[in-house]
Amino acid sequence: MSTEGEVAEVTAEVASEAAPAASPPPLRYLVVTGFGGYDKVGDRVLVLIRSGMWQEEVTVPSANTFLMPEAMTFEEAAALLVNYITAYMVLFDFGNLRPGHSVLIHMAAGGVGMAALQLCRTVENVTVFGTASASKHELLKENGLTYPIDYHTTDYVDEIKKISPKGVDIVMDPLGGSDTAKGYNLLKPMGKIIIYGMANLVTGPKRNLMAMARTWWNQFSLTALQLLPANRAVCGFHLGYLDDEVELVSGVVARLLALYNEGHIKPHIDSVWPFEKVVDAMRQMQEKKNVGKVILVPGPEKEN
């Protein structure tokens, strides 16, 4: 289940289509993502398809699949790829994260935020600032967050400037609106802000057109002439528009699975919900109660 909404996900344990048995082996399905081209009968695979995955059975091209590690659970698979592909490409492909860098991660307790924290720990001496509710700070520090900031009570720009007067090297921005301008102005020379969401458009359980219009009006913009002397970069990332970049994304998947097998990353599961409680699962995220990934599965409800 993707909090960004641009990519729906699913995984399946592939059953034999040619088996002559009267009762075919049971199928297991979960939300996941991936690439690679595995189609051997019985393989547990990750699948990345743009939409249509919130259902019990799906048919997907084998080229859109990637083999799951033996030790990986379906819940971990569901939580891994959309979040970790996003975090990896934002930090390394766009951000060029290196030892000694500093990073601001907004929504640090979300799926992408938790993934980014773990990926930052794979690079030496990275300082990580993260915004999240105060109740989530201790868990985030356990996962690598250097400086947690409660955005409800504190101006994160002021807090960062107290610790790092020059600002940060990378800003991960899933918020949009006025926060993009704040993030841009926090950048050090040669710094980069990567925009990969527009969470500020959503202000509550119901659509608020005025709030959406306000966020849109406050959206950050600048000209090339303004950007040139600033020695900063503004980037945009949307995984849903990399459908045709199989080689690019599959290379990222291979690196992520290697990190998983080496024990450097491990998805944090917030909760698992049956399809029948999709509204409750969405409310869990909308009310910002989750720490990590919220998963949808068919079948009976599991204890969270």
Side-chain angles (χ1 to χ4, degrees):
M1 178 172 171
S2 173
T3 58
E4 294 79 27
E6 69 271 83
V7 180
E9 316 127 278
V10 80
T11 56
E13 181 173 343
V14 181
S16 173
E17 296 178 351
S23 299
L27 298 179
R28 292 183 61 195
Y29 298 90
L30 263 180
V31 225
V32 281
T33 56
F35 273 122
Y38 290 88
D39 58 358
K40 180 182 176 182
V41 170
D43 280 347
R44 301 188 314 151
V45 297
L46 308 163
V47 181
L48 181 61
I49 295 293
R50 190 177 175 88
S51 62
M53 291 301 173
W54 286 12
Q55 50 192 342
E56 293 185 359
E57 298 185 22
V58 295
T59 301
V60 298
S62 63
N64 286 16
T65 64
F66 203 92
L67 190 65
M68 285 172 57
E70 289 185 9
M72 182 179 287
T73 67
F74 277 100
E75 286 79 9
E76 287 178 332
L80 184 76
L81 286 178
V82 163
N83 290 333
Y84 282 80
I85 290 172
T86 298
Y88 188 98
M89 297 188 81
V90 166
L91 285 170
F92 293 103
D93 291 309
F94 272 132
N96 193 25
L97 180 64
R98 299 197 301 271
H101 271 182
S102 54
V103 182
L104 169 60
I105 303 174
H106 284 297
M107 300 172 65
V112 174
M114 293 289 284
L117 287 177
Q118 294 182 12
L119 289 169
C120 284
R121 289 195 298 186
T122 66
V123 180
E124 293 182 358
N125 193 30
V126 172
T127 301
V128 185
F129 299 89
T131 60
S133 301
S135 61
K136 303 174 181 180
H137 286 185
E138 286 305 314
L139 179 59
L140 293 173
K141 286 193 287 186
E142 291 173 8
N143 280 270
L145 182 58
T146 317
Y147 297 106
I149 301 171
D150 183 359
Y151 61 94
H152 294 292
T153 61
T154 306
D155 186 317
Y156 64 84
V157 173
D158 291 341
E159 287 299 302
I160 292 171
K161 286 295 185 70
K162 289 177 186 177
I163 299 165
S164 178
K166 288 186 177 181
V168 297
D169 297 289
I170 301 170
V171 174
M172 296 182 62
D173 177 20
L175 300 176
S178 59
D179 284 292
T180 302
K182 292 179 181 179
Y184 176 80
N185 290 322
L186 270 173
L187 292 176
K188 294 178 179 179
M190 305 306 294
K192 304 171 186 69
I193 181 170
I194 302 95
I195 304 156
Y196 63 97
M198 200 68 60
N200 282 336
L201 288 175
V202 180
T203 58
K206 295 183 179 180
R207 182 180 300 173
N208 186 327
L209 295 179
M210 287 298 296
M212 293 175 68
R214 184 166 55 250
T215 299
W216 185 262
W217 179 259
N218 290 326
Q219 186 57 39
F220 176 72
S221 65
L222 76 171
T223 68
L225 288 177
Q226 292 171 310
L227 191 61
L228 185 65
N231 288 310
R232 298 166 176 166
V234 180
C235 311
F237 178 81
H238 195 311
L239 181 57
Y241 287 92
L242 291 177
D243 287 358
D244 297 328
E245 301 297 330
V246 175
E247 184 176 354
L248 171 65
V249 178
S250 63
V252 175
V253 172
R255 292 190 286 276
L256 289 172
L257 293 181
L259 289 171
Y260 174 88
N261 287 328
E262 294 164 3
H264 295 300
I265 61 173
K266 184 177 178 65
H268 186 90
I269 310 297
D270 173 78
S271 51
V272 180
W273 304 80
F275 282 178
E276 291 75 14
K277 293 196 173 182
V278 61
V279 174
D280 295 323
M282 298 298 290
R283 186 179 296 116
Q284 177 82 354
M285 292 189 298
Q286 189 273 320
E287 295 178 354
K288 300 180 180 179
K289 295 179 179 179
N290 64 299
V291 178
K293 190 71 169 177
V294 176
I295 305 294
L296 277 179
V297 300
E301 185 172 6
K302 296 184 179 182
E303 289 188 13
N304 290 315

